[in-house]
Amino acid sequence: MIVQTKFHAFKTCTTCTICHHSTFSGLHSSILSTFFIVSVACPVLYQMVMKAELVFIPMPRMGHFVSMVQLAKLLLDLHPNLSITVFMMKLNPDAKVAAYVHSLTATRMKFIDLPPPETHEDGSLSNFATTLLQTHGPLVKQAATNIVQYSTSVLDSPRLAGFVLDMFLTPFIELGNELGVPSYVFYTSGAAFLGFQLYVLDLHDEQNVNIFEFKDSDTDFTIPSYLNPVSSKLFPTVMLEPESFPMVITLTRGLRKAKGIMINTFWELESHAISSLSDASALPVYPVGPILNLESETEVHQSSDIMKWLDEQPPSSVVFLCFGSGGSFNGDQVKEIAFALEQSGHRFLWSLRQPPHPSKGPRASPTDYDDASEVLPEGFLDRTHGIGKIIGWAPQVAILGHPATGGFVSHCGWNSTLESIWFGVPIAAWPVYAEQQLNAFELVRELGLAVEIKMDYRKDGMDSGEIEIVSAKTIEKGIRSVMEEGSDVRKRVKEMSEKSRKALMNAGSSHSTLRGLVDDVMNNMFTKNYQV
């Protein structure tokens, strides 16, 4: 048995487990008596030594998973008696996630692989929430119950303090309630879009309005989290289809059941949206961002030819084109982009990906071309030799952080948006799917941190089945605008970059929010256990 001085951690010996015995040795009795006296007579000291454990349940997709792990690291840094366990679900697993986990060395954070579910999972969006709870609910409950049982049998072990769930996993709030612990949600999009989701939910539940009825219109909506009217042309496709809309409503209702929502944003970026949520929502919101994975040494090493090419370019001279893990275009659109780049005269680094074959299904990811010249205009590579470089997968963080990068043609995914702001690189907005149209709207119209290529572009073509081709002229205009030296947009992005970094510094807005959140978690644990 180890008895630490200065009040604290009491550990059982290897020959017995205290809570499983009805009689104790004199030493055990002394320890328990001391523990009881400290907890009752000196609750402040008891709170200082009490250990708490949060269970994180992320989506096993790289964009969501990495952000949650980075959040976990920040929380662990703020309190020495907090530990975190991450449940790894077998839900459309991403091989990159496994490699990322293997590279981690964080202390007080462990990963538990949940076994594959026994029942077959229906991949349809409409059944996502229901099926998820049915297939993975028992696995998550058993793993969490094991933690609770261990904490009650080992005196010095952490007590389960709550769940932190991905924004798509709100059905697991029910399990938290069963175990008597609060559930927090980590929202990987911005505060403005969260306001949009809650607005749509209120329209549906309070006014009996279904947003998908407006998919063929250009109706403006006054949404509290936005300063300007928002056109229905910018609404996410998943909310405009009757097959997927019920799933969105179910998950959004779950958000309202959470103890609180941690949003990957910061006050200085979305003060209006955050204020609107605080005014309209009954649950607390915590702006804790920007949560980014900036540890890109491995990416740089694997793509040294890219970085070497950038090293040879003048500062802020290169426009970087990248459309996320799911971003790809057909041959006609690729040619229009190529013509635009050639006509603009700017140096460029283009992450050109091949669309997945239709037989692989809607969730398949793009791949790299074996020979990109097959899809590019004839002679394009020769004519742009020396001023442009075509690549496949891109180490985005490393590229955005390079001094040669001056502009970013982006799909406006929220992680990419935060990365571009962090490094002070202005965006030319070309959203493709999900909530990206509304992210682009916020960046261009609300915040003045981006220029527009085409905000209402839809890769799926909606019901027509015909995907719109954005012209080379439109793309070239966006490229020239984002690369303009001394522009107001460039100045605003540089200023916001400084604010994003200060937000996470000691006493910064997000740092203070995180500290307050950790204190709440520990206080809740102390109150619950002290009352018991």
Side-chain angles (χ1 to χ4, degrees):
M1 175 176 292
I2 301 173
V3 182
Q4 295 182 356
T5 58
K6 282 195 158 180
F7 299 108
H8 318 138
F10 303 110
K11 295 187 178 180
T12 60
C13 65
T14 58
T15 58
C16 65
T17 303
I18 290 177
C19 67
H20 287 171
H21 289 269
S22 57
T23 60
F24 310 107
S25 68
L27 182 57
H28 285 160
S29 299
S30 174
I31 290 173
L32 289 177
S33 298
T34 303
F35 191 78
F36 178 78
I37 291 170
V38 170
S39 65
V40 175
C42 196
V44 174
L45 289 174
Y46 177 59
Q47 187 175 359
M48 289 173 60
V49 302
M50 187 173 186
K51 296 182 179 180
E53 182 170 10
L54 288 172
V55 168
F56 274 49
I57 310 181
M59 286 282 287
R61 301 297 291 175
M62 200 64 177
H64 287 235
F65 186 88
V66 172
S67 295
M68 285 195 74
V69 171
Q70 295 299 318
L71 170 64
K73 289 182 179 180
L74 291 177
L75 292 175
L76 290 173
D77 288 341
L78 291 172
H79 204 292
N81 290 346
L82 177 67
S83 60
I84 291 174
T85 296
V86 182
F87 287 176
M88 303 278 291
M89 295 194 304
K90 301 295 188 295
L91 176 70
N92 301 318
D94 188 333
K96 291 182 179 179
V97 169
Y100 172 72
V101 170
H102 184 70
S103 71
L104 294 172
T105 57
T107 58
R108 289 182 287 122
M109 179 163 55
K110 63 182 178 182
F111 296 84
I112 294 180
D113 280 309
L114 300 181
E118 295 180 0
T119 56
H120 177 70
E121 183 173 343
D122 186 346
S124 67
L125 284 175
S126 58
N127 294 325
F128 174 79
T130 302
T131 305
L132 180 68
L133 192 59
Q134 290 175 345
T135 57
H136 289 79
L139 303 173
V140 171
K141 184 177 181 179
Q142 182 59 57
T145 301
N146 291 343
I147 291 176
V148 173
Q149 290 176 344
Y150 182 82
S151 70
T152 56
S153 63
V154 180
L155 184 61
D156 190 37
S157 62
R159 302 300 174 94
L160 180 62
F163 288 162
V164 177
L165 309 171
D166 184 275
M167 60 189 286
F168 287 107
L169 302 179
T170 57
F172 289 125
I173 291 176
E174 297 179 22
L175 295 180
N177 293 338
E178 288 183 34
L179 294 170
V181 296
S183 295
Y184 299 86
V185 171
F186 180 53
Y187 196 82
T188 51
S189 295
F193 186 70
L194 174 56
F196 168 75
Q197 265 194 268
L198 296 174
Y199 175 80
V200 170
L201 178 65
D202 288 342
L203 282 183
H204 180 270
D205 287 355
E206 304 297 331
Q207 302 181 38
N208 199 31
V209 174
N210 286 329
I211 290 296
F212 63 79
E213 296 175 359
F214 296 90
K215 68 177 181 179
D216 295 322
S217 71
D218 187 11
T219 305
D220 283 340
F221 288 79
T222 301
I223 302 172
S225 57
Y226 296 88
L227 290 165
N228 299 286
V230 180
S231 169
S232 55
K233 292 174 66 177
L234 302 176
F235 289 1
T237 301
V238 70
M239 290 190 175
L240 299 175
E241 296 289 355
E243 293 80 13
S244 53
F245 185 70
M247 179 270 296
V248 175
I249 291 297
T250 298
L251 295 180
T252 308
R253 285 198 189 111
L255 293 173
R256 288 203 176 278
K257 299 176 182 178
K259 173 76 172 178
I261 301 180
M262 291 176 267
I263 312 174
N264 193 5
T265 190
F266 55 102
W267 171 260
E268 293 80 1
L269 177 65
E270 293 192 284
S271 56
H272 170 77
I274 294 167
S275 295
S276 73
L277 289 170
S278 300
D279 294 340
S281 177
L283 56 85
V285 293
Y286 302 90
V288 297
I291 307 294
L292 303 171
N293 178 26
L294 302 176
E295 301 165 1
S296 57
E297 290 83 1
T298 300
E299 294 178 340
V300 174
H301 176 72
Q302 292 175 344
S303 308
S304 57
D305 60 321
I306 297 174
M307 308 315 295
K308 182 179 179 180
W309 183 85
L310 284 172
D311 289 342
E312 297 169 352
Q313 311 309 315
S316 301
S317 66
V318 176
V319 58
F320 172 46
L321 296 86
C322 187
F323 298 90
S325 59
S328 61
F329 297 101
N330 62 29
D332 291 338
Q333 186 63 81
V334 167
K335 289 179 173 60
E336 293 296 317
I337 296 173
F339 291 140
L341 287 170
E342 191 171 355
Q343 290 299 314
S344 76
H346 284 288
R347 300 171 189 268
F348 65 87
L349 179 63
W350 182 6
S351 175
L352 177 58
R353 311 296 303 284
Q354 184 175 11
H357 193 276
S359 63
K360 294 186 177 181
R363 296 187 183 183
S365 299
T367 56
D368 292 351
Y369 281 99
D370 292 329
D371 183 4
S373 64
E374 296 177 359
V375 71
L376 293 166
E378 186 176 354
F380 172 79
L381 292 176
D382 292 333
R383 294 191 299 273
T384 59
H385 180 71
I387 65 167
K389 185 173 180 64
I390 302 291
I391 61 175
W393 174 87
Q396 182 168 291
V397 167
I399 293 171
L400 288 174
H402 196 284
T405 304
F408 184 22
V409 178
S410 172
H411 61 307
C412 299
W414 193 247
N415 283 340
S416 295
T417 295
L418 294 176
E419 290 168 3
S420 71
I421 290 172
W422 181 269
F423 291 111
V425 179
I427 285 177
W430 188 351
V432 179
Y433 51 85
E435 90 287 10
Q436 295 164 11
Q437 286 83 5
L438 284 171
N439 291 346
F441 175 81
E442 183 180 16
L443 288 170
V444 175
R445 301 283 170 80
E446 303 272 297
L447 304 176
L449 297 175
V451 301
E452 178 183 0
I453 289 182
K454 185 170 179 58
M455 286 195 299
D456 61 353
Y457 174 84
R458 291 190 184 278
K459 183 180 178 182
D460 52 27
M462 294 299 286
D463 288 343
S464 66
E466 297 179 3
I467 300 175
E468 180 179 3
I469 300 297
V470 182
S471 70
K473 182 178 180 180
T474 299
I475 302 168
E476 180 189 350
K477 180 181 177 182
I479 291 172
R480 290 184 180 277
S481 181
V482 79
M483 295 299 289
E484 181 183 351
E485 294 184 18
S487 66
D488 289 341
V489 168
R490 188 171 294 277
K491 292 176 182 176
R492 280 192 287 267
V493 172
K494 293 294 184 184
E495 292 171 358
M496 192 59 70
S497 173
E498 295 178 5
K499 292 177 181 178
S500 73
R501 293 165 184 255
K502 289 180 179 178
L504 288 173
M505 292 181 182
N506 191 28
S509 60
S510 294
H511 182 272
S512 298
T513 299
L514 281 166
R515 182 171 292 281
L517 177 63
V518 170
D519 289 343
D520 286 346
V521 169
M522 301 304 292
N523 288 338
N524 289 339
M525 276 298 299
F526 165 72
T527 301
K528 177 181 176 183
N529 283 271
Y530 186 63
Q531 289 174 343
V532 171

